């Protein structure tokens, strides 16, 4: 089995073989000119809460901590949501084929987990990595944030970020209230 460094060098060599014309053709074929607007584009880390894995980062592996995220939303108020986002300093923006990337992006927040008031969460747990990448001693950055959308559910109105307040320390619980009076609470349960 090839080492991670050897695989990265192979990927860079394969990526270097693709001409700009080929990259443009791949972009057009995949229809990548449509842009999505997600709340993470305007994430304000000051309004959110930093979350970290309790597992140590040893620099050779990347263990992940299983964390329960139990959400509760009051029936009143507007559409509300919690997001756990992970910071990525370099990522593939268009056509990620593992060994080839059409266009790289830098410095963005990637959604790792989400739960909102009108749909149940996909999973009531999140995995927090101890390291930002394999063979790295750097810890990843996670931000837990609360969001609300004014108006009736389903309308294409912008999401606005709310300030999270810690209301309990055992278990750790955060809460926010939207301007219409609806509350949202997330309880973080660690094993």
């Amino acid at each position: 089995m090839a080492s991670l460094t050897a695989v990265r060098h192979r990927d860079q060599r394969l990526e270097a073989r693709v001409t700009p014309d080929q990259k443009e053709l791949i972009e057009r074929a995949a229809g990548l000119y449509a842009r999505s607007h997600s709340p993470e584009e305007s994430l304000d880390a000051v309004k959110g809460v930093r979350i970290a894995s309790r597992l140590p980062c040893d620099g050779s592996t990347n263990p992940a901590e299983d964390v329960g995220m139990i959400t509760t939303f009051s029936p009143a108020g507007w559409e509300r949501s919690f997001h756990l986002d992970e910071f990525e300093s370099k990522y593939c923006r268009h056509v990620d084929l593992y060994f080839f990337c059409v266009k790289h992006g830098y410095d963005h927040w990637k959604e790792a987990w989400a739960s909102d008031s009108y749909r149940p969460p996909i999973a009531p747990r999140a995995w927090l990595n101890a390291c930002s990448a394999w063979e790295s001693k750097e810890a990843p950055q996670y931000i837990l944030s609360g969001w609300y959308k004014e108006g009736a559910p389903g309308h294409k109105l912008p999401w606005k970020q709310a300030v999270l307040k810690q209301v309990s320390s055992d278990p750790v619980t955060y809460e926010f209230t939207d301007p219409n009076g609806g509350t949202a609470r997330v309880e973080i349960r660690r094993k």
Side-chain angles (χ1 to χ4, degrees), residues 36-92:
S36 64
H37 301 286
S38 64
E40 293 76 35
E41 292 174 2
S42 59
L43 178 67
D44 183 354
V46 174
K47 291 181 179 180
V49 176
R50 292 196 182 276
I51 305 287
S53 173
R54 295 183 300 181
L55 300 174
C57 178
D58 62 7
S60 60
T61 62
N62 190 6
E65 180 182 8
D66 182 12
V67 178
M69 308 284 271
I70 311 304
T71 56
T72 309
F73 299 97
S74 68
W78 293 320
E79 191 171 356
R80 295 165 307 267
S81 177
F82 283 106
H83 290 244
L84 180 66
D85 299 299
E86 180 178 6
F87 183 75
E88 288 186 328
S89 58
K90 183 178 179 184
Y91 65 100
C92 186

Side-chain angles (χ1 to χ4, degrees), residues 7-39:
V7 170
R8 284 184 184 149
H9 289 297
R10 183 197 69 206
D11 293 349
Q12 289 170 348
R13 285 192 312 270
L14 288 171
E15 198 170 318
R17 291 183 192 169
V18 178
T19 67
D21 291 338
Q22 290 171 327
K23 283 185 180 183
E24 183 180 353
L25 180 65
I26 292 169
E27 282 181 325
R28 288 181 188 218
L32 295 172
Y33 288 103
R35 303 212 19 116
S36 64
H37 301 286
S38 64

Side-chain angles (χ1 to χ4, degrees), residues 118-129:
Y118 286 92
R119 286 174 295 211
I122 294 171
R125 40 196 357 84
W127 292 92
L128 301 178
N129 291 325

Side-chain angles (χ1 to χ4, degrees), residues 91-184:
Y91 65 100
C92 186
R93 236 176 140 159
H94 297 300
V95 188
D96 186 2
L97 300 176
Y98 180 71
F99 61 89
F100 171 75
C101 179
V102 172
K103 185 175 184 182
H104 288 284
Y106 299 92
D107 299 344
H108 89 129
W109 292 96
K110 177 182 85 173
E111 183 179 288
W113 173 88
S115 174
D116 66 46
S117 57
Y118 286 92
R119 286 174 295 211
I122 294 171
R125 40 196 357 84
W127 292 92
L128 301 178
N129 291 325
C131 306
S132 60
W134 286 92
E135 298 180 352
S136 168
K137 290 194 176 207
E138 190 176 314
Q141 298 177 44
Y142 289 100
I143 296 287
L144 177 67
S145 58
W147 298 83
Y148 65 92
K149 187 175 8 174
E150 296 175 346
H155 284 85
K156 295 191 176 196
L157 297 169
W159 285 92
K160 296 182 179 179
Q161 189 175 357
V163 177
L164 290 183
K165 296 180 289 187
Q166 186 171 355
V167 294
S168 172
S169 58
D170 190 26
V172 175
T173 306
Y174 295 98
E175 181 180 82
F176 74 90
T177 303
D178 68 37
N180 198 29
T183 59

